[in-house]
Amino acid sequence: MEHGSSGDEPAPGRPVDARTILLIVLGTFGGAVATLVPMAFSLALRIDQLAPGRPELLGVVIAVSAATALVTSPIGGLLSDRTRTRWGKRRPFTVVGVALGLSGVPVLVLAEDVLTLCAGWVVCSLGFATAASSVRNLQADRLPSSQRGRVSGLTSLTMQLAPVFGILLVGSVAHDTTLLFALPAAVGAVSLLTFAILVSEPSSGRARPPTRLSVLGVVRSYGFRPRQAPDFAWLWAGRFIVFSGLTLTTSYSTFFYAQRLGLEIPDVAGILAVTSMLSIVSLGCGSLGAGWLSDRTGRRRPFVIVGGAVAATGCAIAATAWSLPVLLAGSFLMSLGVATLTSVGAAIGLDVLPDRDTQAGRYMAIMMFSQRVPSVLAPLVGPLLLSLPGGPPSGNFAALYVTAAVLLAGGSGVIAAMVRGVR
């Protein structure tokens, strides 16, 4: 491998071997199972046990944990960039993150009120998010441009399929509170630790020592100057809009299906598993197909436009659906469009990342702001949309899904029109 400006650390240049790509996919899978499955199902079921009839509390719990990640992730990225150990600069954060994530599981299981549940989820999600960020940072460190679309497609597909596996896993133990949270955490821990142990990451101990870190430097790490990196800034804005729309749907999917199909909350697991399994085809076409084609053609922007349009169409169909066949059609289109949009969008993020040699971790954390800020705001905006007149007593999901459609289409348009550094 070629060497970057920081000593013995590889810089993007030669293609990454298949073994490393497999480890990246495995680590991505573990992080997604550990964080997404509780948000998609386990937390909703637990809140229904602790506070029946209060679905809005799910948005509050998710928003608090997302806000915590928002505050801490840039510091983690900054520290990771500056870490000098014989085990590399990313691997220590994987191990520490897994340990922190596992420590939150007993709190989730034993919580007797929503406040305690929220505290447990903050610890658990922060830990596994820290571990998962080391996987993303490795991609920024190592992947050449010719592989970014394909690997981003694989990781995006993995992110979409992980909840399928996780919901199938926990759906059969929905009445066992311990397994409801312990199983996703165990899968995440094993996958991420395997990544940490087997990934090929050179020592950073001989790299140039980092400059002294100041309080002002930490504060500045939370932002950047858009004029100095306009493509990165516009991509950030577009992703923010896209993930605002996506989070509106994912945060309340359990309650949405329960309303539209007239089911009790525990019975939704089977429906979510079925819809997730049926979406495997759309996810494969969207993530792998779009990622591979964008590398092959050297074009990213057309796939962003198509992905946003298809996802918005799926949301619009879901907004008016009251039967399983129509819900499945909307779900299929949503997953196809989102997979296309997020996989190619991730490749664009790696293409336009500023200061890759010395600050990749910091800028990857800033990029994740565009995903995490909506995770804070959208669950809080969701109850306002659900409370709009014109819907059933259980919530105006039509308003929520129409809003999501507008945001998905608008965000993809911003990326395609304003990010000039890619074709």
Coordinates of all heavy atoms in Angstrom, one line a residue, residues 23-33 132 135-136 139 154-156 158-159 162 191-192 195:
L23 N -14.3 -7.9 6.2 CA -14.3 -7.5 7.6 C -15.0 -6.1 7.7 O -15.7 -5.9 8.7 CB -12.8 -7.3 8.0 CG -12.0 -8.6 8.2 CD1 -10.6 -8.3 8.4 CD2 -12.6 -9.4 9.4
I24 N -15.0 -5.3 6.8 CA -15.7 -4.0 6.8 C -17.2 -4.3 6.8 O -18.0 -3.7 7.6 CB -15.3 -3.1 5.6 CG1 -13.9 -2.6 5.8 CG2 -16.3 -2.0 5.4 CD1 -13.4 -1.8 4.5
V25 N -17.6 -5.2 5.9 CA -19.0 -5.6 5.9 C -19.5 -6.2 7.2 O -20.6 -5.9 7.7 CB -19.3 -6.5 4.7 CG1 -20.7 -7.1 4.7 CG2 -19.1 -5.8 3.4
L26 N -18.7 -7.1 7.7 CA -19.0 -7.8 9.0 C -19.1 -6.7 10.1 O -20.1 -6.8 10.9 CB -17.9 -8.8 9.4 CG -18.2 -9.6 10.7 CD1 -19.4 -10.4 10.6 CD2 -17.0 -10.5 11.0
G27 N -18.2 -5.8 10.2 CA -18.3 -4.8 11.3 C -19.5 -3.9 11.1 O -20.1 -3.5 12.1
T28 N -19.8 -3.5 9.9 CA -21.0 -2.7 9.6 C -22.2 -3.5 10.0 O -23.2 -2.9 10.6 CB -21.0 -2.4 8.1 OG1 -19.9 -1.7 7.7 CG2 -22.3 -1.5 7.8
F29 N -22.3 -4.8 9.7 CA -23.4 -5.6 10.1 C -23.6 -5.6 11.6 O -24.8 -5.4 12.1 CB -23.2 -7.0 9.6 CG -24.3 -8.0 10.0 CD1 -25.5 -8.0 9.3 CD2 -24.1 -8.8 11.0 CE1 -26.5 -8.9 9.7 CE2 -25.0 -9.7 11.5 CZ -26.3 -9.8 10.8
G30 N -22.6 -5.8 12.3 CA -22.7 -5.8 13.8 C -23.1 -4.5 14.4 O -24.0 -4.5 15.2
G31 N -22.6 -3.4 13.9 CA -23.0 -2.1 14.4 C -24.5 -1.8 14.1 O -25.2 -1.3 14.9
A32 N -24.9 -2.2 12.9 CA -26.3 -2.0 12.5 C -27.3 -2.8 13.3 O -28.3 -2.3 13.8 CB -26.5 -2.3 11.0
V33 N -27.0 -4.1 13.6 CA -27.9 -4.9 14.4 C -28.0 -4.4 15.8 O -29.1 -4.3 16.3 CB -27.3 -6.4 14.4 CG1 -28.1 -7.2 15.4 CG2 -27.5 -7.0 13.0
A132 N -18.9 1.3 15.7 CA -19.2 1.3 14.2 C -18.5 2.4 13.5 O -18.2 2.3 12.3 CB -20.7 1.4 14.1
V135 N -15.3 1.5 11.9 CA -15.4 0.8 10.6 C -15.5 1.8 9.4 O -14.8 1.7 8.4 CB -16.6 -0.1 10.6 CG1 -16.7 -0.9 9.3 CG2 -16.5 -1.1 11.8
R136 N -16.3 2.8 9.6 CA -16.4 3.9 8.6 C -15.1 4.6 8.4 O -14.7 5.0 7.3 CB -17.5 4.9 8.9 CG -18.9 4.3 8.9 CD -20.0 5.3 9.0 NE -19.9 6.0 10.3 CZ -20.5 5.6 11.4 NH1 -21.3 4.5 11.4 NH2 -20.4 6.3 12.5
Q139 N -12.7 2.9 6.1 CA -13.0 3.1 4.7 C -12.4 4.4 4.2 O -11.9 4.4 3.1 CB -14.5 3.0 4.5 CG -15.2 1.7 4.9 CD -16.7 1.8 4.7 OE1 -17.2 2.0 3.6 NE2 -17.4 1.6 5.8
L154 N -22.1 -2.3 -0.7 CA -22.2 -3.5 0.2 C -22.5 -3.1 1.6 O -23.3 -3.7 2.3 CB -20.8 -4.2 0.2 CG -20.5 -5.0 -1.0 CD1 -19.0 -5.4 -1.0 CD2 -21.3 -6.3 -1.0
T155 N -21.9 -2.0 2.1 CA -22.2 -1.6 3.5 C -23.6 -1.0 3.6 O -24.3 -1.2 4.6 CB -21.2 -0.5 4.0 OG1 -21.1 0.6 3.1 CG2 -19.8 -1.1 4.1
S156 N -24.1 -0.3 2.6 CA -25.5 0.2 2.6 C -26.5 -1.0 2.6 O -27.5 -1.0 3.3 CB -25.7 1.1 1.4 OG -24.9 2.3 1.5
T158 N -25.8 -3.9 3.7 CA -25.7 -4.6 5.0 C -26.5 -3.8 6.0 O -27.2 -4.4 6.9 CB -24.2 -4.6 5.4 OG1 -23.5 -5.4 4.4 CG2 -24.1 -5.3 6.8
M159 N -26.4 -2.4 6.0 CA -27.2 -1.6 6.9 C -28.7 -1.9 6.8 O -29.4 -1.8 7.8 CB -26.9 -0.1 6.7 CG -25.5 0.3 7.1 SD -25.3 0.4 8.9 CE -26.2 1.9 9.2
A162 N -29.4 -5.8 7.9 CA -29.2 -6.1 9.4 C -30.5 -6.1 10.2 O -30.7 -7.0 11.0 CB -28.1 -5.2 9.9
S191 N -19.4 -9.4 16.0 CA -19.1 -9.0 14.7 C -18.0 -7.9 14.8 O -17.0 -7.9 14.0 CB -20.3 -8.5 14.0 OG -21.3 -9.5 13.8
L192 N -18.2 -6.9 15.7 CA -17.3 -5.8 15.7 C -15.9 -6.2 16.3 O -14.9 -5.7 15.9 CB -17.9 -4.7 16.6 CG -19.0 -3.9 15.9 CD1 -19.9 -3.1 16.9 CD2 -18.4 -2.9 14.8
F195 N -14.0 -7.9 13.7 CA -13.4 -6.8 12.8 C -12.1 -6.3 13.5 O -11.1 -6.1 12.8 CB -14.4 -5.7 12.6 CG -13.9 -4.5 12.0 CD1 -13.7 -4.3 10.7 CD2 -13.5 -3.4 12.8 CE1 -13.2 -3.2 10.1 CE2 -13.0 -2.2 12.3 CZ -12.8 -2.1 10.9

